[in-house]
Amino acid sequence: MLLGYARISKADGSQALAPQKDVLLAAGVGPGPLYEDRASGKRDDRPGLAACLKALRRGDVLVVWKLDRLGRDLRHLVNLVQELAERGAGLKVLTGQGAAIDTTTPAGKLAFGIFAAIAEFERELIVERTKAGLAAARARGRRGGRPYKMTPAKLRLAMVAMADVETNVGELCRELGVTRQTLYRHVDPGGALREDGRRLLASRGRGPGSDAA
């Protein structure tokens, strides 16, 4: 069975789901198994996607208009498709970047393998940059007294480091020059932003993904 998923980022009426639905229906997705969300692709708590994944059975294929409708984080996409494969389900992307992906075919599996390799390369680059940033901070040294406050640059390093299960929190706090309490006020144990972290980035007018590579 083909199950369709559509997503728009805004729920204020400035975007419409209808164009995506039309394409999905034309691709053979029945009007019944078609799930939708009105939420950012960076959010993990999307009820439409959760319901769609729950409904998938072995032999089913998840169909999306574009790959970014599933999400905008490459590693998240890779993990999602691997989960589908383990459950015996497939993924088919109809247009845009990733349109070559149809994991029910050998060529589509090869295309996804390339995406997976890129995701791993991206992860290694982030880890390498994080280590380089921490090493640079350590080389500059710190004077005694009150620990430095959290800054946007430190916060981005903390987000990446905390997402790595092997990170030693105590060592990370020493490298950043912040207390454990300050760290956890800004990010959670998985590296996601908390309210103080969001306010810090918003006060500087820069989102969590705005730094140049």
Side-chain angles (χ1 to χ4, degrees):
M1 178 184 292
L2 301 180
L3 279 73
Y5 175 72
R7 180 185 63 79
I8 54 175
S9 298
K10 299 180 180 179
D12 58 5
S14 61
Q15 297 178 341
L17 284 163
Q20 295 182 48
K21 290 183 177 180
D22 290 344
V23 174
L24 292 171
L25 291 173
V29 177
L34 206 164
Y35 301 85
E36 61 187 56
D37 278 311
R38 291 173 174 82
S40 168
K42 295 181 180 180
R43 290 184 55 178
D44 292 330
D45 55 335
R46 284 178 275 160
L49 180 59
C52 181
L53 296 177
K54 185 177 180 179
L56 280 169
R57 298 292 182 265
R58 179 171 295 275
D60 289 346
V61 178
L62 173 58
V63 184
V64 292
W65 174 51
K66 290 184 177 180
L67 189 60
D68 65 4
R69 298 303 86 193
L70 281 178
R72 294 188 176 276
D73 182 273
L74 189 54
R75 283 174 291 165
H76 167 71
L77 294 172
V78 170
N79 291 337
L80 176 59
V81 177
Q82 288 176 340
E83 177 186 344
L84 294 178
E86 292 172 358
R87 294 171 54 185
L91 170 67
K92 185 174 183 179
V93 182
L94 297 177
T95 188
Q97 290 185 338
I101 294 179
D102 179 352
T103 60
T104 63
T105 69
K109 289 180 180 178
L110 175 61
F112 178 73
I114 296 173
F115 272 80
I118 294 173
E120 178 64 19
F121 179 64
E122 178 189 51
R123 189 194 71 81
E124 291 179 356
L125 280 179
I126 291 174
V127 171
E128 182 179 334
R129 289 171 181 168
T130 300
K131 290 180 178 178
L134 293 175
R138 183 170 57 248
R140 286 194 297 269
R142 295 185 178 85
R143 297 178 182 177
R146 185 178 180 181
Y148 294 157
K149 294 181 179 180
M150 183 68 79
T151 66
K154 290 180 182 180
L155 179 54
R156 287 175 172 79
L157 289 174
M159 290 168 63
V160 175
M162 292 294 283
D164 185 345
V165 296
E166 297 182 359
T167 292
N168 183 298
V169 176
E171 181 177 335
L172 176 63
C173 290
R174 287 192 295 273
E175 296 291 351
L176 296 179
V178 299
T179 64
R180 188 181 292 256
Q181 181 181 10
T182 297
L183 176 68
Y184 282 121
R185 279 207 322 267
H186 291 80
V187 296
D188 68 16
L193 283 173
R194 282 181 163 155
E195 186 60 33
D196 280 12
R198 287 192 288 270
R199 280 202 299 266
L200 174 61
L201 294 181
S203 69
R204 302 301 176 93
R206 300 161 67 189
S210 62
D211 280 353

